[in-house]
Amino acid sequence: MRAIVIREPGGPEVLELREVDTPAPSRGEVRVRVRATAVNRADVLQRLGRYPAPADAPADIPGLEIAGEVDAVGPGVAELARGDRVFGLVGGGGYAEHVVVQERCLARIPEAMPFADAAAVPEAFVTAWDALVTQCRLSAGEWVLVHAAGSGVGTAAVQIANAIGARAVGTVRTPQKVGRARELGLQEAIVVEGGRFADEVLARTAGQGVDVVLELVGGAYVAEDLACVAPRARVVVVGTMGGAQVGLDLGTLLRKRIELRGTVLRSRPLEEKILAGLTLARHIAPLFASGAFRPVVDRVLPLARAADAHRLMQNNDSFGKLVLEV
C-alpha cells in the first residue's frame, strides 16, 4: 500500500510517499481502506521527533483520524462488515491506504457525508466533547472560553457549546478568522495581542468571568485563564503549542477553587479509546446527521502533498481542518 513515512525527525520535507506492507486485522479488528485523513498538531510534533507514536501504532506513519470503508475483518468481529463506511480515531498510521483498527473504536459515517468531510470530524469533535462535556461538565447558560477558535478542535468546541446552550467566547490570532468563527456560533471573539486577553474576557462577560476554559495553547495563556475565570471554574489543558512551562498564582487557584486538569486521547488504554468511539457514534454522528453540527474543512489536498499540509498548519493560515485524500 501507499503511505506517508517520516524518513527522520525534521521539517515537512522528511515526509515521503512510499510503498509499505499492507496490515492484516487480528481478533476484534477490521482493516479500513482509508479514503481521507486529516492533519493534526500531533502529526507535526511526531514528525519533529517530539511526540512518539504509542506501541500499538506504526512508529513512522502519522495520522490520528480516518474515514473510509471496511475491506477486511478479523476473527470475532460482530458489529461491522466489509463495505461499511466508517470513521474514527487511530493511534497512528492514518496517512496510508489501509489501517487496522479495533472495531469498537469506529463509528458509521452519516449517510450523506462525504469521506473528506468525515475525516475532519473524529479528532476535533471527540477531543472537544470529551474535554468540555465529559470532563468539564459544560452546561447550558455557562460561559466557555475557547482558545484557538479557528483550529479544528476550536471550531468543534464552538459548535458543541452552541448546541448545549452555553455561551462561547473565543480567541484567535488574526482578525480574518473572526467572521468565520461567528458563523459557527461564537458569541464573542477576541484577537489576542501580546498574549493578553483576561481583561477583555471579563469585559465581554460583564465581569462574571468564564465557567470553563478549553486551553489549546498552553504556556502563558494558562495564567491569563486563571485571571478571567469565575469561581469554581474548570480549566482543561489540551495543547501546549505556546509552551509547556508556566508560572501560576496558586492563591488565585485556591481562592476561586478552580479545577485545573490536563487531557490527552492518543495514549489512553484501549478500553478508553473504545469509549471515545462510542461517543463519536452515539453523541456526535447523530448531530451531523441532523445538521446541528457541520465539518469545517479549510482545504483538501492529495496524500502526496502531506508536506504542504504540514507547512500550512505550521503557518497557522488555515481555518478548521486540513484534509488529505488517499
Side-chain angles (χ1 to χ4, degrees):
M1 67 174 184
R2 295 182 310 144
I4 292 292
V5 176
I6 301 171
R7 184 181 70 240
E8 61 188 3
E13 68 278 0
V14 305
L15 298 176
E16 297 182 347
L17 186 63
R18 297 183 188 172
E19 290 286 335
V20 301
D21 292 338
T22 302
S26 300
R27 176 167 292 276
E29 295 178 334
V30 299
R31 187 175 67 202
V32 178
R33 172 55 174 98
V34 180
R35 299 298 179 182
T37 183
V39 178
N40 292 286
R41 293 283 178 184
D43 303 335
V44 173
L45 293 175
Q46 181 176 348
R47 191 203 73 221
L48 292 169
R50 293 162 50 190
Y51 193 6
D56 61 349
D60 56 356
I61 302 175
L64 303 183
E65 56 191 330
I66 53 99
E69 303 144 327
V70 174
D71 77 341
V73 299
V77 170
E79 298 179 14
L80 294 175
R82 292 185 62 183
D84 285 346
R85 300 172 73 247
V86 294
F87 60 161
L89 293 167
V90 294
Y95 290 17
E97 289 183 319
H98 293 89
V99 67
V100 166
V101 191
Q102 211 285 337
E103 69 162 335
R104 298 183 68 196
C105 292
L106 297 168
R108 288 181 173 82
I109 298 173
E111 186 174 345
M113 181 178 284
F115 287 122
D117 284 351
V121 171
E123 189 274 342
F125 279 84
V126 172
T127 296
W129 186 285
D130 176 76
L132 294 180
V133 181
T134 304
Q135 297 194 55
C136 288
R137 311 174 302 281
L138 181 66
S139 300
E142 290 190 312
W143 277 106
V144 56
L145 172 58
V146 178
H147 289 303
S151 67
V153 177
T155 57
V158 169
Q159 293 184 70
I160 290 168
N162 194 47
I164 288 172
R167 297 170 289 176
V169 54
T171 64
V172 294
R173 294 186 181 182
T174 61
Q176 292 78 11
K177 296 183 179 182
V178 171
R180 297 183 68 181
R182 288 189 181 277
E183 291 175 4
L184 296 173
L186 186 68
Q187 291 182 273
E188 299 288 343
I190 298 170
V191 179
V192 177
E193 298 179 358
R196 300 291 184 178
F197 54 82
D199 289 344
E200 189 65 25
V201 170
L202 289 170
R204 301 291 184 94
T205 60
Q208 174 182 328
V210 295
D211 305 287
V212 172
V213 179
L214 183 65
E215 181 51 76
L216 299 173
V217 179
Y221 271 42
V222 179
E224 285 283 293
D225 294 335
L226 300 194
C228 65
V229 296
R232 302 185 68 181
R234 292 86 72 197
V235 179
V236 58
V237 180
V238 179
T240 59
M241 293 302 293
Q245 305 295 323
V246 61
L248 292 179
D249 180 355
L250 294 181
T252 299
L253 187 78
L254 297 174
R255 177 172 52 83
K256 292 186 177 181
R257 293 176 289 163
I258 300 166
E259 293 181 25
L260 177 60
R261 64 172 66 210
T263 188
V264 66
L265 283 174
R266 189 181 193 185
S267 60
R268 293 185 187 184
L270 177 58
E271 57 269 25
E272 293 189 35
K273 291 181 178 179
I274 290 173
L275 290 176
L278 292 174
T279 294
L280 178 61
R282 295 178 179 177
H283 301 298
I284 297 171
L287 292 174
F288 278 98
S290 72
F293 288 167
R294 63 182 177 92
V296 183
V297 177
D298 183 89
R299 70 194 75 184
V300 180
L301 300 172
L303 181 65
R305 292 185 60 192
D308 291 335
H310 276 228
R311 292 185 184 97
L312 288 167
M313 173 159 280
Q314 287 184 267
N315 291 336
N316 295 309
D317 290 335
S318 56
F319 184 89
K321 300 288 287 191
L322 295 163
V323 174
L324 299 173
E325 284 190 322
V326 182

